[in-house]
Amino acid sequence: MAWERRLEETLAEAWRRLVRGAADRRAASRHPVLATVAEDGAPAARVVVLRRADPGEGVLEVHTDAASAKAGEIAAEPRVALTVWEAKARLQIRVAAEAAPIEGAAREALWARVPEGARLAYGGTPAPGTVIAAPEDHAAEPVAARFLPLRLGVTEVETLHLGEDRHRRARFRRDRDWAGEWLAP
Amino acid sequence: MAWERRLEETLAEAWRRLVRGAADRRAASRHPVLATVAEDGAPAARVVVLRRADPGEGVLEVHTDAASAKAGEIAAEPRVALTVWEAKARLQIRVAAEAAPIEGAAREALWARVPEGARLAYGGTPAPGTVIAAPEDHAAEPVAARFLPLRLGVTEVETLHLGEDRHRRARFRRDRDWAGEWLAP
């Protein structure tokens, strides 16, 4: 029986895709869209790189620049939404999560593993989003203090599978111990 | 000179991608992520199908079911964010817009053009998001009154191009007559 017909296997498939995204640069789930709420109350969203997915803990991880707009948005409103569209599998994965900075020794260990070239994503002058006269007026330079790894504690996973026979939508919540339920699509 | 080095051409390229998405099922921009703010203040996001893109008016169009959660969210908070990741072009397009229902004769004309099979996306019992015992407990049936086309009046376009030499980020605002400015990436 195909995974999309059983709740437990549907959740497992969603996590399998997320785990693959964290490991495989070519996976669709490598580049989810992370939605936040901006200070003015409007939604904001951008593509991020998925760095880790842990089905056991129900945790995802992304890395950002502490000076970025999304870092400020998340500090003010930690609830985020992460969306993946796996076109080939006809599967949408919607994750609701609460984001929190990874700090201390865990943060240091992550920084130590960021390759030198990739460190350019954290730091740079002026800060992200500042108006500049030309692209050349931005100097990229790694600043360890600007490295902000975020732990996304997943509170809900919702899946939508566009099957040939019908669409199947399901929801899984942490506060129900990840027991699933079908939803009308 | 490549488009990503000039503001005006960067905006034109972003619209070209959006226009392609509205016409071509295989384009990355066919399936943007639409982010909204839910009633409880958390961000919500899902993949939508881009139905129209009009660079002259600065308008996008998507269609939804009037009984869907996003329809309610948009009625309460019309500001939305639409995100496209064009992997091959290494181009992210972020659109901020205000959504409004398309009504009256314009709505009727759009409905008349929805193919019969595609009409199943609007209607169905019970309403989207309702808990059901099994996927088979949802009956899809078109209901014209549930067809909700949305006009997204674009207020801002932000682009990020990951070039081999450097990243280039730019912002274009309606209230500045779409004049562009470079931003630190």
Side-chain angles (χ1 to χ4, degrees):
Chain A
M1 198 179 249
W3 58 262
E4 71 267 20
R5 293 171 185 267
R6 297 178 62 129
L7 286 167
E8 209 171 317
E9 291 177 26
T10 296
L11 179 61
E13 178 70 16
W15 275 107
R16 201 151 43 228
R17 298 271 168 182
L18 294 168
V19 167
R20 189 182 305 167
D24 179 357
R25 285 165 192 272
R26 293 158 306 175
S29 50
R30 179 70 169 186
H31 294 112
V33 170
L34 181 75
T36 51
V37 177
E39 277 178 49
D40 64 0
R46 76 293 288 161
V47 174
V48 294
V49 179
L50 186 60
R51 301 293 180 180
R52 195 167 75 90
D54 184 329
E57 276 189 84
V59 164
L60 302 175
E61 187 180 308
V62 301
H63 299 169
T64 188
D65 183 328
S68 67
K70 67 176 162 306
E73 289 163 6
I74 286 170
E77 171 52 85
R79 289 176 297 177
V80 301
L82 193 131
T83 309
V84 170
W85 170 236
E86 293 268 3
K88 280 182 198 163
R90 310 277 292 159
L91 174 68
Q92 174 180 244
I93 306 168
R94 298 171 68 189
V95 173
E98 296 206 4
I102 297 171
E103 298 174 320
R107 179 183 170 284
E108 299 305 317
L110 288 171
W111 178 247
R113 279 190 275 147
V114 179
E116 196 159 318
R119 290 186 176 185
L120 291 170
Y122 316 100
T125 311
T130 309
V131 176
I132 52 182
E136 293 70 28
D137 292 335
H138 177 258
E141 193 177 7
V143 177
R146 295 256 296 270
F147 175 63
L148 175 58
L150 293 166
R151 179 188 188 280
L152 309 185
V154 177
T155 53
E156 188 175 309
V157 175
E158 199 183 297
T159 56
L160 176 66
H161 180 257
L162 308 183
E164 286 184 16
D165 58 338
R166 60 170 60 246
H167 296 180
R168 288 177 177 81
R169 181 175 175 185
R171 180 171 61 195
F172 309 87
R173 282 159 50 178
R174 180 186 291 272
D175 66 7
R176 295 178 48 144
D177 278 331
W178 303 113
E181 51 193 354
W182 297 110
L183 302 180
Chain B
M1 196 178 255
W3 57 262
E4 71 265 21
R5 293 170 184 267
R6 298 177 64 129
L7 285 168
E8 209 171 318
E9 292 178 25
T10 296
L11 179 61
E13 177 69 16
W15 275 108
R16 199 151 44 228
R17 298 270 169 185
L18 293 169
V19 167
R20 189 181 304 168
D24 180 357
R25 285 164 191 272
R26 292 158 308 177
S29 50
R30 178 71 170 184
H31 294 112
V33 170
L34 181 75
T36 51
V37 176
E39 277 178 47
D40 65 359
R46 77 291 290 159
V47 173
V48 293
V49 178
L50 186 61
R51 301 291 180 181
R52 196 168 75 91
D54 183 331
E57 275 189 85
V59 164
L60 303 175
E61 187 181 307
V62 300
H63 299 169
T64 189
D65 183 327
S68 67
K70 66 176 162 309
E73 290 163 6
I74 286 169
E77 170 53 85
R79 290 177 295 178
V80 301
L82 193 131
T83 309
V84 169
W85 170 236
E86 293 267 5
K88 280 183 198 162
R90 310 276 295 159
L91 174 67
Q92 175 180 246
I93 307 168
R94 297 171 68 188
V95 173
E98 297 206 3
I102 298 172
E103 296 173 322
R107 179 183 169 285
E108 300 305 317
L110 288 171
W111 178 246
R113 276 190 276 144
V114 179
E116 195 160 317
R119 290 185 176 185
L120 291 170
Y122 316 100
T125 311
T130 309
V131 176
I132 51 181
E136 294 70 27
D137 292 336
H138 176 259
E141 193 176 7
V143 176
R146 294 258 295 272
F147 175 63
L148 176 58
L150 292 167
R151 179 187 188 279
L152 309 184
V154 177
T155 53
E156 189 174 308
V157 175
E158 199 182 297
T159 57
L160 175 65
H161 181 257
L162 308 184
E164 286 185 16
D165 59 337
R166 63 170 59 245
H167 296 181
R168 288 176 175 82
R169 181 176 175 183
R171 180 172 58 196
F172 308 87
R173 283 159 50 178
R174 179 185 291 270
D175 66 6
R176 296 176 48 142
D177 277 331
W178 303 115
E181 53 194 353
W182 297 109
L183 303 180

